[in-house]
Amino acid sequence: MVVAEEKDELKVKLKEIFGYGSFRGNQEIVIKNILSRRNTFVIMPTGAGKSLCYQLPAMVTDGLAIVISPLIALMKNQVDQLNAYGIDARFLNSTLSKGEITRIRKDCISGKIKLLYVAPESLNKEENIEFLQKVNISFIAIDEAHCISEWGHDFRPEYRKIKTMIAQLGTMNVIALTATATPKVQLDIQKNLQMEEADVFISSFNRKNLYYEVRPKKETKKQLIRFLKDHKGKSGIIYCLSRKKVEEIAQLLNVNGFKAAPYHAGLDPDVRMKNQDNFLNEEVDIICATIAFGMGIDKPDVRFVIHYDVPKSLEGYYQETGRSGRDGLEGICLMFYSHNDLNKLEKFNKDKAVQERENARILLQEMEFYAESPVCRRKQLLHYFGEEYKEDNCGMCDNCINPRERFEGSQFVKIALEAVKQTNERFGLTHLVNVIKGIEDEYVKSYAHFDLAVFGKGDTEDADFWKSVIRQTLIYQYLEKDIDNIGVLKITKKGHAFLKKPHAVELAKDHDFTTDVVNEESSERTPINSKAYDERLFEMLKALRKQMAKEKDLPPYVIFQDPSLEEMATTYPTTKDEMASVNGVGMGKVNKFGKAFLELIQKYVDDNDIETAAEVVVKSSINKSKIKIFIIQQIDRKVDLEEIAESKSLSFDELLTEMENICYSGTKLNVDYYIDEVLDDNKQEEIYEYFLNSDTDHMDEAMTELKGFSEEDVRLMRVKFLSEYAN
Ligand code: ADP
Ligand code: MG
Ligand code: ZN
């Protein structure tokens, strides 16, 4: 079975080189596609792990992989990260001396180098093309491929020449990668690179570990300082609209004892670069920036992204918030919202051409709806990118954690759908609202819509109410946007079915940020994560990492990332092998950086009489205890149990057994997020009651007593019971 062997081989390499225990999302299938020499187009949200999609294939194929990347300033950073794994990667750009360039060329031709990062500007140089023609190239990766498209948010004209440059190198396999989801940009990229026939891999845009919240923009500075106090020492980005505001906020934070620096296009390039480096190196915790900051910043441990001002579009908002929590740990996305900000943004557009102005207005309107909507933020964001989020409660956004007041809304949904239907699915929101409210404006008159049965049917409610209803019917997919006519709404199948046979629909009231008060008590409403690791050791490891980073002149995360340190503070590795088995470490890093960390952990373990992983091994196999830690961490992050089981190739049954063992050995597991999805409250209560009153927690007895429940449900509830009661 060649296939199976191949698969295992890749997993082995993943562990050996990068120290990761499993692939994420589409990584494996993408990598296989590249290895079978197919042109490949990868669309994955920021932080999902695109780099690995070309880095691993580069390591397991003959020759040199060329990575085209837009930002010279950040190439060194990416190459540092690879070098830390012991990978021979280099970059080629205008910052290098003649001598350095000569050496790199020599090493490329001799086959020593596996990955070469270049900016399109460098690739465009005749001398570089000539030299690359002599090199054995494995494939070409184009990172941040949306830079090709004028419809993207970071258009770079040089990117448009890439196809011509590549053509001069012969027939090459190409892999293009981007986090931009809009179909228009996707199409543009494929056309421009002439890779319409490429295999396209699109991942879900759901970033499970990100928490979204919108707050009223009132006493904003006070709110901001309070938030930052609760998150002192963590890395974060604060986006502001203007350079002036950036400077002002950076100063405010410094005065208040935070380490913050400004970043915007008006700064002297040296200062700007220094501020960025200081952020990457943890010399400053917070960067205050205009949207000029961010693309290509791969800092994995950005713990929060704050929008001090309302962003111009949801797409931009999604990309910017996406820069938090790349490492899969905490990522808080907070926006301060006021309607006034939208008015300001609208004014900026007033000199634009008519169509452009109209498009910008629609983007702003989307922003307004997002902010004021009572619907799950995650559901809204994914809906915007054409993806349906099926859960009712994500548990990780303000609207799900503090739900708005709900009401039965089928009568309103019916009127909204009737309005769309009776106007022949040719109008947008504003007109529909006018029709429903019975307002006779010019449009209504010219189409004689005052004759419709639905005209004026909703005049008892105000216009904002109807806008909200229509938006919710859109997100709940009774309506959809017409692809060809921007702004126009049409009825879906689900909508038609509803009109035929209406049923109850739960709606909620919008936020009213003009009257919403700032909640003094809950300045922090994000879900609290119980820490499963030894926080004291974790802090010590972090301090050591920072010191070493300084000595080696590297960003700290290049040495070890936070999830690896968390795992070390859970398993206490004291030998090289144990440390190499930590996720994200691998032998390359152990040899380069491990010694001081092992010594620190050993001393800590001795001083505190801690049972180490090595001692646990005697009782169970190391693999087993690693699976347990993995399960604890994943449950901490509220990952679906099916997903956890799948990523460790366990059956659901086996996973439950592991979870039970974890509970019996005294660790609490909070699986409410999962149970709430599969069992309603009454059923939960019934099972819980049983365990409370029963003398034993044996399954056999439970199953005879609890009729009509599946064994899985009962075992899940037993885990909950054991965690809450027995531990
Ligand atoms: P993208 O380019 O898609 O925004 P990156 O390639 O920068 O994302 O990766 C984001 C983070 O995910 C990095 O910190 C990386 O170390 C981590 N990562 C990537 N692949 C894996 C994996 N298979 N297991 C664990 N962590 C991973
Ligand atoms: Mg990337
Ligand atoms: Zn939600």
Side-chain angles (χ1 to χ4, degrees):
M1 283 279 292
V2 184
V3 180
E5 269 170 25
E6 217 172 61
K7 181 179 152 201
D8 287 342
E9 182 87 344
L10 281 179
K11 281 236 168 82
V12 170
K13 289 283 176 202
L14 178 71
K15 180 72 226 172
E16 208 174 274
I17 303 171
F18 297 94
Y20 293 132
S22 53
F23 287 104
R24 273 191 190 165
N26 278 345
Q27 280 177 339
E28 185 168 12
I29 150 169
V30 165
I31 289 170
K32 283 188 175 164
N33 205 61
I34 297 167
L35 291 178
S36 63
R37 313 219 122 263
R38 295 275 311 159
N39 287 341
T40 310
F41 187 21
V42 178
I43 299 163
M44 263 187 202
T46 307
K50 285 186 284 298
S51 324
L52 196 92
C53 293
Y54 54 83
Q55 289 168 347
L56 185 58
M59 294 306 291
V60 300
T61 40
D62 273 348
L64 171 81
I66 294 179
V67 184
I68 301 177
S69 159
L71 293 174
I72 292 178
L74 290 160
M75 276 181 194
K76 179 171 180 317
N77 220 280
Q78 285 162 5
V79 167
D80 279 344
Q81 290 195 53
L82 288 167
N83 292 162
Y85 283 114
I87 295 172
D88 208 339
R90 311 281 178 86
F91 61 85
L92 192 64
N93 66 31
S94 50
T95 65
L96 300 172
S97 71
K98 267 239 141 45
E100 285 169 315
I101 293 180
T102 314
R103 205 165 335 121
I104 289 172
R105 286 190 183 156
K106 208 179 97 226
D107 289 345
C108 283
I109 293 171
S110 76
K112 187 165 174 280
I113 300 178
K114 294 307 296 176
L115 282 127
L116 182 69
Y117 283 74
V118 292
E121 292 85 344
S122 311
L123 197 54
N124 205 15
K125 284 195 184 134
E126 195 51 43
E127 53 185 71
N128 283 330
I129 293 282
E130 269 171 30
F131 126 74
L132 284 172
Q133 282 165 343
K134 295 180 206 138
V135 176
N136 174 21
I137 296 169
S138 50
F139 61 84
I140 296 183
I142 304 170
D143 207 356
E144 316 281 1
H146 59 275
C147 293
I148 286 178
S149 171
E150 286 171 89
W151 298 99
H153 39 97
D154 293 302
F155 175 52
R156 308 209 157 214
E158 324 83 65
Y159 254 67
R160 286 213 169 262
K161 301 183 193 140
I162 289 176
K163 178 71 204 173
T164 330
M165 302 178 216
I166 297 176
Q168 297 178 62
L169 299 176
T171 320
M172 289 287 153
N173 268 109
V174 175
I175 160 173
L177 309 99
T178 177
T180 296
T182 62
K184 208 171 177 73
V185 176
Q186 288 171 30
L187 198 70
D188 230 18
I189 295 172
Q190 281 184 280
K191 267 203 186 133
N192 193 270
L193 290 174
Q194 291 165 25
M195 52 189 292
E196 284 98 339
E197 89 320 329
D199 299 316
V200 183
F201 297 90
I202 303 179
S203 305
S204 163
F205 271 65
N206 185 12
R207 294 281 309 277
K208 288 184 187 157
N209 59 317
L210 301 194
Y211 167 81
Y212 302 99
E213 179 174 341
V214 180
R215 291 192 195 173
K217 195 168 178 177
K218 285 179 190 163
E219 302 175 49
T220 321
K221 288 184 179 143
K222 205 165 132 197
Q223 288 197 66
L224 181 67
I225 300 281
R226 205 184 301 127
F227 176 91
L228 295 177
K229 277 197 176 136
D230 289 341
H231 296 272
K232 191 127 197 185
K234 293 182 186 169
S235 269
I237 306 173
I238 302 176
Y239 282 109
C240 306
L241 199 59
S242 67
R243 297 172 186 183
K244 191 165 146 268
K245 195 47 144 258
V246 165
E247 294 284 352
E248 182 193 328
I249 300 295
Q251 202 175 12
L252 171 82
L253 298 187
N254 280 311
V255 170
N256 278 277
F258 299 101
K259 290 191 271 177
Y263 185 104
H264 57 73
L267 287 171
D268 184 66
D270 289 343
V271 176
R272 207 168 59 205
M273 182 81 89
K274 190 176 121 275
N275 289 352
Q276 174 176 305
D277 281 347
N278 282 344
F279 179 61
L280 298 179
N281 294 332
E282 293 181 10
E283 296 300 324
V284 306
D285 295 326
I286 302 160
I287 202 101
C288 301
T290 56
I291 50 170
F293 179 81
M295 190 190 38
I297 301 281
D298 289 345
K299 189 170 165 41
D301 57 353
V302 173
R303 299 276 78 99
F304 57 85
V305 169
I306 296 177
H307 283 83
Y308 193 91
D309 299 306
V310 177
K312 282 182 216 151
S313 72
L314 264 189
E315 163 100 42
Y317 175 70
Y318 179 83
Q319 297 300 344
E320 284 142 27
T321 52
R323 290 166 190 146
S324 61
R326 278 171 182 257
D327 56 13
L329 303 182
E330 184 180 55
I332 300 174
C333 310
L334 192 60
M335 184 208 297
F336 290 108
Y337 173 82
S338 85
H339 204 274
N340 205 22
D341 271 9
L342 293 174
N343 297 341
K344 268 193 234 164
L345 288 168
E346 183 112 45
K347 278 197 197 120
F348 291 154
N349 296 330
K350 84 173 183 297
D351 298 327
K352 290 184 174 159
V354 179
Q355 187 56 47
E356 208 183 332
R357 194 169 63 217
E358 177 59 13
N359 290 351
R361 194 187 64 78
I362 288 174
L363 291 181
L364 284 180
Q365 203 178 39
E366 294 279 359
M367 205 62 238
E368 172 185 353
F369 291 141
Y370 170 81
E372 298 187 358
S373 172
V375 177
C376 170
R377 307 278 177 206
R378 184 163 262 99
K379 201 181 190 85
Q380 291 189 68
L381 285 170
L382 292 174
H383 181 266
Y384 187 71
F385 294 114
E387 193 178 328
E388 190 188 357
Y389 182 71
K390 294 217 175 70
E391 314 300 329
D392 287 331
N393 189 315
C394 79
M396 282 283 279
C397 80
D398 54 351
N399 283 339
C400 286
I401 291 175
N402 294 314
R404 309 274 305 163
E405 191 190 320
R406 293 178 185 272
F407 58 91
E408 208 293 292
S410 50
Q411 48 169 324
F412 305 112
V413 173
K414 185 151 179 288
I415 293 174
L417 295 183
E418 280 298 344
V420 177
K421 191 175 162 191
Q422 291 175 26
T423 54
N424 297 321
E425 307 186 302
R426 284 174 50 205
F427 294 87
L429 187 89
T430 315
H431 183 71
L432 292 168
V433 171
N434 284 341
V435 169
I436 293 171
K437 293 246 334 138
I439 296 170
E440 274 192 57
D441 73 348
E442 276 169 59
Y443 280 102
V444 169
K445 280 187 198 141
S446 67
Y447 289 100
H449 280 165
F450 43 74
D451 279 343
L452 301 176
V454 74
F455 186 76
K457 264 274 165 70
D459 59 352
T460 50
E461 309 292 334
D462 64 21
D464 284 342
F465 173 84
W466 282 111
K467 276 188 198 166
S468 169
V469 168
I470 295 176
R471 282 292 300 175
Q472 291 180 65
T473 16
L474 181 64
I475 287 171
Y476 295 127
Q477 312 208 316
Y478 296 93
L479 292 175
E480 66 188 359
K481 292 181 198 160
D482 186 336
I483 306 173
D484 301 320
N485 300 299
I486 187 160
V488 171
L489 298 175
K490 293 166 63 166
I491 302 177
T492 60
K493 249 193 204 148
K494 184 174 168 184
H496 285 297
F498 176 91
L499 279 178
K500 255 189 215 137
K501 193 167 170 257
H503 53 79
V505 180
E506 203 172 62
L507 298 180
K509 293 227 164 76
D510 270 12
H511 292 267
D512 182 352
F513 285 106
T514 53
T515 56
D516 269 13
V517 283
V518 179
N519 193 335
E520 284 287 333
E521 259 98 81
S522 55
S523 70
E524 178 61 317
R525 281 167 287 182
T526 58
I528 308 142
N529 284 328
S530 56
K531 302 268 186 296
Y533 54 86
D534 186 329
E535 285 179 68
R536 202 150 61 91
L537 177 59
F538 179 70
E539 290 307 322
M540 291 165 79
L541 292 168
K542 254 173 88 166
L544 174 61
R545 176 178 70 175
K546 189 164 177 188
Q547 184 199 332
M548 189 181 278
K550 233 188 163 128
E551 283 163 17
K552 297 190 187 287
D553 194 23
L554 289 171
Y557 60 82
V558 166
I559 296 179
F560 293 123
Q561 293 193 11
D562 283 3
S564 302
L565 293 192
E566 282 191 5
E567 192 173 327
M568 289 180 205
T570 313
T571 57
Y572 307 99
T574 51
T575 67
K576 278 182 151 192
D577 281 335
E578 282 164 19
M579 183 165 277
S581 76
V582 168
N583 211 24
V585 178
M587 216 22 125
K589 283 200 172 181
V590 174
N591 289 330
K592 270 205 158 77
F593 313 113
K595 191 158 171 283
F597 287 85
L598 285 169
E599 282 166 11
L600 177 102
I601 296 168
Q602 184 67 58
K603 179 158 185 324
Y604 185 86
V605 161
D606 292 345
D607 290 351
N608 297 287
D609 280 334
I610 287 165
E611 192 187 22
T612 66
E615 286 158 58
V616 179
V617 182
V618 186
K619 292 179 216 148
S620 59
S621 86
I622 181 135
N623 242 345
K624 266 195 179 155
S625 74
K626 276 197 66 99
I627 285 186
K628 286 204 178 69
I629 290 153
F630 178 81
I631 293 172
I632 295 171
Q633 287 175 338
Q634 296 298 98
I635 289 180
D636 236 31
R637 283 170 211 160
K638 301 197 166 49
V639 176
D640 264 348
L641 297 184
E642 281 87 2
E643 214 172 295
I644 300 178
E646 196 183 341
S647 61
K648 286 286 160 203
S649 312
L650 297 172
S651 66
F652 199 79
D653 195 57
E654 286 164 341
L655 175 66
L656 277 171
T657 309
E658 290 290 349
M659 288 166 57
E660 285 158 359
N661 291 338
I662 291 168
C663 287
Y664 281 122
S665 59
T667 303
K668 294 177 186 191
L669 290 177
N670 184 348
V671 278
D672 289 355
Y673 68 97
Y674 183 83
I675 295 179
D676 288 345
E677 262 173 40
V678 294
L679 271 175
D680 69 33
D681 287 351
N682 290 337
K683 288 183 177 157
Q684 286 190 31
E685 210 167 297
E686 195 179 327
I687 306 177
Y688 203 90
E689 278 292 307
Y690 164 79
F691 281 118
L692 258 183
N693 298 315
S694 161
D695 305 331
T696 141
D697 58 7
H698 285 171
M699 277 307 289
D700 293 348
E701 268 170 62
M703 289 312 291
T704 41
E705 287 297 318
L706 291 163
K707 301 242 160 39
F709 288 101
S710 75
E711 188 164 332
E712 264 177 21
D713 292 346
V714 177
R715 284 175 75 186
L716 268 171
M717 282 306 295
R718 188 169 66 160
V719 166
K720 180 177 162 78
F721 173 77
L722 288 170
S723 296
E724 289 173 3
Y725 231 76
N727 279 326

